[in-house]
Amino acid sequence: MEASVDSVVRDDMAYALKVAVQLLPEDRQATSEEVTKAVTGGVMVANLNGVMVDAAELRKLVEARTNVFQESSAALSDDTDHVPWLPDAKNDRPWPFWLRYQRYLSWVRNMPLSVVRSIDRTTDDVLGALEDPRRSGKWRRTGLVIGQVQSGKTGQFIGLAAKAADAGYRLIVVFAGIHNDLRSQTQLRMDEGLLGFDTQYQLRSDQEGANRYIGVGALSGEERLAVASLTNSAEQGDFDQKTASKANLPIGHFPIVLVVKKHPRIIDHLRRWVTENHGVEGLKTGRKIVREIPLFVIDDEADNASINTSEIDDDPTKINACMRELLSSFDRAAYVGYTATPYANIYIDPDAKNDAVGEDLFPESFIRTLPSPSNYLGPERLFGLTAYREEEDDIEPLPLVRYAQDTASWIPAKHKSDYRPTGNLPDSLVDAIHSFVLACATRRARGQEYEHNSMLVHVTRFTNVQHHVTEQVDDYVRMMRHSLQDRYGTSSEQVRKELREFWEKDFETTTSHFPKDEAPRVAWEQVDAEILPALHKIQVKAINGVAKDALDYYTTRKTGLYVIAVGGQKLSRGLTLEGLSISYYLRFAKTYDTLLQMGRWFGYRPGYEDLCRLYTTAELESAYQEITEATDELRREVEEMSVLGLTPRQFGLKVRTSSLGLTITAANKMRQGTRVRLSYSGELAETTTFPLLGGVPEKNFRTLQSFAEKLLQYSEPQPDPASGSLVWSGIPAETVAAGFFDAYKADPNVHRIRPDALAGYIRHHAKFGELDRWTVRVVSRRETSSSVDVAGHRIGPVVRAASKTVQQSVERHVVKRVLSPRDEGLDLDEEQWKTALERTKRLARKKNETKRNGELRDPALPSSLQIRMQRRLDQPLLLLYVIEPPDSAKLQVPLVGFAASFPKSNIDSAKEYVVNPTWFSQTDSDDAEEDE
């Protein structure tokens, strides 16, 4: 009875919310007054229909829908042979597929209005960069959309597919991963968002006798739109040979949507089917080409399996070859790849072409970044992020990470496929299971009783070991359940006592960090009452290639699935774990992209973000912190290069290398890595990591003093009257290279800042007349009680804050920034400074950058990049910083850091400044592939 009452209450509130949302403005953020009017209207209309709801509760729900914001996207694009078309098409053709998907997102999925508007805007951006499907003649467009892991890329490309169908694309193919379950999950999402019917029961929307309408098809008042699919959401519902032989749907009259996994045989079936039925033999090649039907391909997880990893360009890998051959079988083709880890895609050779299969999948037409909404729990919020600009604040990590450092005796880091975990579960995994039970119980106490709840356990790549772990976890969950059911013994009381202590120590303190409207407070008594009901629903399942278990979220969508999923590779890419709150993750991988993709814990956690936990090792946390900074830097590079109007071919991907021996992507995906420069052209080389042991601080301070003595041979320094800094001008390149960089000792683990590489770069460019007149500034601070002697002058050490997002140690000291932004531009002339500042302001306006109070940012200083863009080729700058060491280091000398600001070079550096393969650790092949 209680469940049905709760259900009625939820339905009534959902009705009132739908009414209120329709009263809000659709084209902008609602004001507080508009929210009040919408809530009043929602309550009034609900009352007129006999539905009574609490106005305060309704207002909370409406505000949750309106308080989310999302930045605009940025893109590099190449409009060669592209004909703009979308603005006119908005008026000359209807858009019913998109409009009903838009209503579905707002009314059924309860998506924040700003996010729906952002999907509308970004899908327009992507679709407009493709070609009008009605355009005659031969054309091809290829692009890449960079999102974040678990950030809603599927929902975004469903919106894009809906608009493509409206625009006139008649064959839409979605490549969805390499496993059946991911393909099935993606098909179900397409069924709900685009097709409107359950593909397991019907083939097309107007099929006689079939009425399995779901998602957009179940919206009241919506017309039945003509659309069909030859694939379905069953595990074996792919486009196989049987489907191909029986498929008799004519392509061209209405959209046909296929969701297929990346498998050579399946893609080949698809190509043969469409070319044999609709192809025309080419006069020169004899190959069948489809002339009049535009093809639209969406490649989900585009860096996985789509990349040509063959060492011979004329013999590409099978999946890559099949995808290219499919595209080249159409005179009119559009391809858009979606990924959160784009490294391998931008390493693709843009000139690679094979006569048999056509051009490779390089995103020639555009590379676009998809910003995530403010309610997204992503790497930056989980692991923290050092601010890109001095005027920005660091993003402090949320207190959700817990360490699992007690697993070596249970599952060693290196073990074989026949290993059997021995002994009891480690305490950290027991804590994780307790966390999951408490998270489920707390969500129930908060009114989220019928929502999905998932826990991830990813500790090994071997399926055999996964099954042993599943048994152990299942045994422990059953033991907890039996103990709590024991009415006569003491075990029930003991378990509840342990859970309460854990709740008070961990959950109450963590929840206090979150606003009350995002993390509703509940009393222990409310949680305690829900523990046993939660435990009764929890299932433990092995999710891998040989297990029969499956994550059936769809059929349990009304009651909620509570599951602990134990797995490996199948849980590591693309597959969404609904309601994931607790993750127990030990699997170390050696590449940025593999680690990021394994992060199933990223995503949206409305109403339970404070309950989420990631149990992992300190080593993995450090790895994720590095990857977060490198990925953020890459996104910002795309944004900066977008403003400069560069094309994807002109975008030199520079990804910050790891101090932990991680590689960017698998070695066989980096065959074209020579095109990705580790160049200092237009770059700032800056030390932020300082070794504290081995006499390195003393050696570097002596290097500074010795270098200053060499500078005195050219001239006396010009003291800066404001700060006491010493400035030398017109210093030759060799003096800088030999006098400072040859002698300076950097942290050997920080590959990006290598003094020998910097010295080599300076010497090479000096041969071509660049970098031959340096300005050297030894930065000083006036307000200090201590000073050191440099070239006969007293220099006051500067203070630099320790990084809050990197773990400090006795071996090294890591600071947020060495550079003070104003210092970098002090040697510019008035015109250079003015131009750099104007461009910085223009960029801020274009990106609608805002301060924390919501006001538009009006930069007072030019950005570091714009300063470097204004430098003349003979105007490099070396800033030398004498820095107060941490008290714990007990050093007798200050630390010495530097920031070298390089102008943009005229020399073609693609050949000279490549990343040497020896700079990276090789990736073991078994890190990339699962035992299953």
Side-chain angles (χ1 to χ4, degrees), residues 29-77:
Q29 198 79 4
T31 64
S32 178
E33 292 77 14
E34 289 169 334
V35 170
T36 299
K37 289 180 180 179
V39 170
T40 303
V43 172
M44 185 182 302
V45 172
N47 289 344
L48 290 174
N49 285 273
V51 176
M52 305 300 292
V53 295
D54 183 83
E57 288 298 317
L58 179 60
R59 185 179 184 91
K60 288 181 181 179
L61 293 175
V62 173
E63 287 178 340
R65 296 281 298 277
T66 58
N67 288 344
V68 177
F69 61 89
Q70 189 167 13
E71 297 178 355
S72 57
S73 62
L76 311 173
S77 59

Side-chain angles (χ1 to χ4, degrees), residues 149-169:
V149 177
Q150 299 286 94
S151 65
K153 296 188 297 300
T154 304
Q156 213 268 354
F157 71 61
I158 291 173
L160 177 62
K163 289 184 176 180
D166 288 326
Y169 283 96

Side-chain angles (χ1 to χ4, degrees), residues 838 840-849 857-858:
E838 286 177 351
T840 302
K841 289 176 178 287
R842 188 167 72 236
L843 176 64
R845 288 194 298 270
K846 184 168 182 176
K847 292 169 58 180
N848 292 318
E849 292 182 347
R857 197 173 70 84
D858 184 22

Side-chain angles (χ1 to χ4, degrees), residues 860-880:
L861 296 175
S863 72
S864 180
L865 174 64
Q866 296 303 332
I867 287 173
R868 298 193 297 277
M869 292 301 102
Q870 295 308 307
R871 290 197 176 281
R872 298 185 304 273
L873 293 174
D874 65 345
Q875 198 183 11
L877 170 69
L878 176 60
L879 296 163
L880 300 174

